Every structure is written in C-alpha cells, then in structure tokens.
Amino acid sequence: MTEKVSFEAAKNRVDELRLQLDRYSHEYYVLDKPTVTDAEYDRLYHELLGLEEQYPELISNDSPTQRVGGTILPGFEKVIHEIPMLSLGNAFNETDLKEFDRRNRKLTDKNIQYICELKIDGLAISLKYEKGRLVQAATRGDGTVGENVTQNVRTIKSVPLRLKEPYSIEVRGECYMPKNSFVKLNQERDEAGKDVFANPRNAAAGGLRNLDPKETAKRNLNTFLYTVADFGEIQAESQSEALNQLDTLGLRTNHERRVFDSIEEVWQYVQDFQEKRADLPYDIDGIVIKVNDFSAQEELGFTVKAPRWAIAYKFPAEEAYTVLHDIEWTV
Ligand code: NAD
C-alpha cells in the first residue's frame, strides 16, 4: 500500500515515473537492451499504480499502467490483432494470490479451479492457421498492432506449418531461446569479439525480430503455446481442455501445467517451481495462474490491460541476471 502523499507531490512523482518507465520500456521492448532489472521496473510500476489508485484523476491514456508492451520496429509489416494481445496482472507474494482468489470467488458463484502454467520468459507471439496451414505469425507489439514475423517463425522447427486437422484458428504463446542455445550463442559471440546478450529473452527477441530469417534460424528458438485466441473448430470448455487440443493438433504446449481446487495448492506449486526453476532447460520468470473454466472466465471478464481471471506470480529476480552492470550489452 502506497503512503498517502499530497496531490501536488503525487502529480510530480507520477510524471517522473512515467518518463522513467517509458524509457525502460523502450529499451526493453524496442532495443532489446534493458538497463534495469525486471524487479526494479516492477517496483517503479507498482509505485505508479499506487499513486494512480490514490488519485484516479491522474490516470491518463498514455500512462504505462494503461498500455501493453512496446512499439513496433520499422522494417516489419504491421499486423492488426483483431483480438488484442493483453498483458497480465502481477502477484509478488502469497497475500497477492489470496486476494486474487478472494476477488474471483466474490465476482462469480461458479466453482473455481485454477490451472497453473509456467511463465516462460520470452516474447509473446500469435500464430494464425487457415484450413490447417500457418498463414501468419506476429509479435504482440503494443497489443493492438504487432509485427509480421511469419518468415522468421517458419524457421522454428517445432512450429507446424500444417496442423494435424484442417482447422482455422489463432493461437498464442511464448517464443523463447533454450538456456543451452543461449550459452552457446554467447560463447560464439564472445569469441568473435561481439557483445554478449544479457539473457535468453533478449537473445530470443533479437532473433525473432531480425529482418533476416537466416539469422533467426541460427538462434535455435522454440515455442510453447498457451492460449487459443480464435477457437475456429476447436471445442473446449476450459483452458486445460484447450491446451490438450493444441497438443492433439501438433502445437507445442508446456506439460508442467496442473489444475488445482484451492489457492493453497497453487501456492505450493509456485514454491516448488521457484526451487526447480534453475534446473529447467528454459528460463521462467514466474507462474501464470488462470481460472480454468471458460464460463467462469467469461463472468470475470477483462480490465483495459489484462484478464481478471488470470494473474502472473513473479519470482524474485534471479541472481545471475541481476548484476546487469557486469554484462556487456549487445546491439
Ligand atoms: P508480464 O511479463 O508481466 O506478463 C504477461 C506475459 O507473460 C504475456 O504477454 C506472455 O508473453 C507471457 N507468458 C508467459 N507464459 C505465459 C502463460 N503460460 N500464459 C500467459 N502468458 C504467458 O507482462 P508484459 O506486459 O509482457 O511485460 C511487463 C513486464 O516486462 C514487466 O512486469 C517487467 O517485468 C518487464 N519489463 C522490464 C523492463 C526492464 O527495463 N527491465 C521494461 C519493461 C518491461
């Protein structure tokens, strides 16, 4: 909870925070070269959120709290997301998760089960299939307009160019670089006298948003799909059923997902993966918790920026990537 400050002081601080957060977002989303940790960004973001809660008259459309992601790079064709690609609300501790659970149970009488999914630390992509064929791949961009990266995504071997059924659907997921590919890439760059990447996410983003698909192909990128945006012929009543269907269609999903009845079990899963994360072959920065049943999701609805029926629990910053100043940034 933010300490109560005067309107004048709040206004000044809000202006300051917005400038700072906009600069960090540009470095992160556009340049793929963050200069602060995600934890630091999240801390400032929540300070802004707190001040805007105290003084709602300070909220403006261009505030980082009202917007998703970054802008699109010149050189890529634009793609309009007919169904917006949103962000997620964040939780940082057990109390935040309990509050999420309390609010859900207040807003719907439906029986609530939660599905926990690993929060893969990469960048969001959207894949469109028509009659079973991959016709378009796009980045999230600002959530409404993304970049057309179809040629680049076609180089990712786990992305089927043709589904097992001739369905017309749109699915979304995370594009990431496996840890071992990241280490190898940085070794090669270091030996070649080039700057190394700060983390696998930056390397994946730079690879996917490269104007030369041959460069993308060298990065050994991979994907986990986690959402159906346009169901087409898919029939599912819950997130777990939808993900099982994606598996059947040949799309790659993450199999660590679990469904639970209570927030206490969710908290246990979160803690388990906080311990196990270092042993996974890919980076995760948290756990995404979603209400599993689609009819309950529908009742809970959306805010301008994120679904109310999901939340991202963020792990504390990982030691290896917090020492940003010791790392040379890559272009
Ligand atoms: P987010 O990272 O908090 O969560 C939303 C994203 O999670 C989705 O867009 C999706 O890409 C991803 N995701 C991974 N697995 C998922 C799953 N199973 N289901 C659903 N989504 C899944 O939100 P964001 O809008 O992508 O990014 C904001 C965050 O980016 C900030 O909280 C901060 O941590 C980081 N950031 C850092 C800087 C910096 O300078 N260090 C700057 C801007 C943003």
Side-chain angles (χ1 to χ4, degrees), residues 118-130:
L118 302 188
K119 185 171 184 302
I120 311 298
D121 197 7
L123 66 159
I125 53 162
S126 193
L127 308 179
K128 218 181 229 182
Y129 287 87
E130 269 170 25

Side-chain angles (χ1 to χ4, degrees), residues 94-104 263 311:
E94 191 181 3
T95 313
D96 293 345
L97 287 184
K98 284 195 167 152
E99 176 52 27
F100 168 69
D101 181 47
R102 192 195 60 78
R103 203 190 55 205
N104 289 336
I263 204 73
I311 202 161

